[in-house]
Amino acid sequence: LEGEKMEETLPLIAGALMTGMGAIGGAIGVGLAASKYLEGIARQPELQAYLLGQFFIMMALIDALPIISLAFGLIQLFG
């Protein structure tokens, strides 16, 4: 790709990578958090209510990354 075509293609690739990598990172993070939550309940079932609250806080923090990445990716694609 040369010249103008390259200038049109690079923002599309960058937006696609931002969106895709954010989704992959979020999915891995959610999977790890859920597995540790279940592991904690298996070890100490009496802490289930406490761990559930902590799990929801972590899920909110983990899900922020894909949302922010999606926003920047869409800005890159359509902005």
Side-chain angles (χ1 to χ4, degrees):
L1 300 171
E2 302 214 7
E4 251 180 68
K5 268 214 169 244
M6 183 75 115
E7 290 177 8
E8 294 174 5
T9 306
L10 284 178
L12 295 176
I13 293 171
L17 283 174
M18 278 190 272
T19 304
M21 293 297 177
I24 290 171
I28 292 171
V30 167
L32 289 173
S35 73
K36 295 299 179 181
Y37 167 68
L38 292 175
E39 185 179 317
I41 290 175
R43 289 176 185 251
Q44 294 184 330
E46 66 274 4
L47 293 178
Q48 181 177 2
Y50 175 75
L51 291 175
L52 183 63
Q54 297 297 315
F55 176 69
F56 281 139
I57 291 170
M58 289 308 300
M59 289 296 291
L61 293 173
I62 291 170
D63 283 340
L65 171 73
I67 292 169
I68 293 169
S69 179
L70 176 67
F72 282 123
L74 290 176
I75 288 170
Q76 186 69 31
L77 287 173
F78 299 112

